[in-house]
Amino acid sequence: MERALIIGSSGGIGGAVRQALEARGTRVSGLSRSADGLDVTDESSVAMALGAIEGTFDLIFVATGALAAPGGAPEKSLNALKPASMRDQFAVNAIGPAMVLKHSVRLIPRDRCAVFAVLSARVGSIGDNALGGWYSYRASKAALNQIVHTGAIELSRSHRQAICVALHPGTVRTSFTAAYLGRHPAVAPETAASNLLGVIDRLTRADSGGFLDWTGTPVPW
């Protein structure tokens, strides 16, 4: 892997993936809100940031997302649902990555294999949901999975060697999850990055459009 682009490179997982790739000798470009002013919920911001980049990438890794709207918390019941909070979750977790994919197509090579990978979450699985709760986060990640699957179909027509996947990293100790971990087992960002890159290294065209966990095992839709 010669060149990679990390969206959300200042976050826990995004930063760890960047460091792991750089340790391999990969040339890594990173974009984030804190360092570059990238706002994935604003298409003009995404278009401007990605439009300023030249060349193509062997890996585009999208590590943005939010467990809850600012000042809010994941809903435990229907009574807790608020339209504004739901819109915020969809903007960050589904619409944002969709806009990144839209404006990344020109950065994906047509003459060789390349990977577009997005962080999803197992709780976005409808088939695996036995506990309920976390309505907005679950629904926004389920929407993201559909966007990735549909995008993979379109990419297969113009970029025949491209691989487009959604990845579940497991539970990772970051500022993103700090308020919700409790006693739940979690791994360090560096471990998550190693696991995810191991999956990415093993991907084939047959995996494109899929939803895989950190071991490379398909997650039910």
Side-chain angles (χ1 to χ4, degrees):
M1 189 181 301
E2 296 182 0
R3 198 168 183 227
L5 173 63
I6 311 297
I7 308 296
S9 58
S10 65
I13 297 176
V17 169
R18 179 174 190 163
Q19 291 177 0
L21 286 170
E22 289 175 338
R24 294 182 175 189
T26 301
R27 290 179 294 153
V28 182
S29 299
L31 290 171
S32 68
R33 179 191 286 271
S34 60
D36 308 284
L38 173 63
D39 180 359
V40 296
T41 68
D42 179 355
E43 184 179 6
S44 63
S45 177
V46 175
M48 182 178 297
L50 294 180
I53 296 175
E54 297 183 357
T56 56
F57 294 88
D58 303 287
L59 169 66
I60 299 175
F61 185 86
V62 184
T64 56
L67 278 165
E75 310 96 345
K76 295 182 179 180
S77 69
L78 287 168
N79 288 335
L81 291 178
K82 297 179 180 178
S85 296
M86 294 189 75
R87 284 193 293 269
D88 287 344
Q89 285 283 273
F90 274 81
V92 173
N93 293 328
I95 299 172
M99 292 302 99
V100 172
L101 178 55
K102 173 183 175 180
H103 291 282
S104 292
V105 172
R106 69 175 191 84
L107 303 175
I108 300 172
R110 294 174 183 263
D111 61 347
R112 65 183 187 277
C113 180
V115 175
F116 184 96
V118 180
L119 284 186
S120 185
R122 186 179 295 276
V123 295
S125 165
I126 296 173
D128 192 54
N129 181 5
L131 297 176
W134 292 52
Y135 286 88
S136 297
Y137 187 64
R138 286 185 186 276
S140 62
K141 288 297 188 179
L144 171 63
N145 293 341
Q146 181 69 286
I147 290 162
V148 168
H149 185 75
T150 305
I153 294 171
E154 181 174 347
L155 275 177
S156 70
R157 299 169 184 149
S158 58
H159 297 69
R160 295 183 180 277
Q161 299 182 65
I163 300 169
C164 183
V165 291
L167 299 177
H168 167 58
T171 304
V172 185
R173 291 192 300 271
T174 67
S175 58
F176 185 78
T177 61
Y180 308 103
L181 281 179
R183 296 183 179 180
H184 195 285
V187 300
E190 295 76 16
T191 301
S194 177
N195 292 336
L196 291 167
L197 289 174
V199 174
I200 289 169
D201 289 341
R202 299 190 300 270
L203 291 173
T204 70
R205 276 286 300 125
D207 296 309
S208 193
F211 179 21
L212 309 172
D213 72 10
W214 56 271
T215 69
T217 303
V219 181
W221 294 114

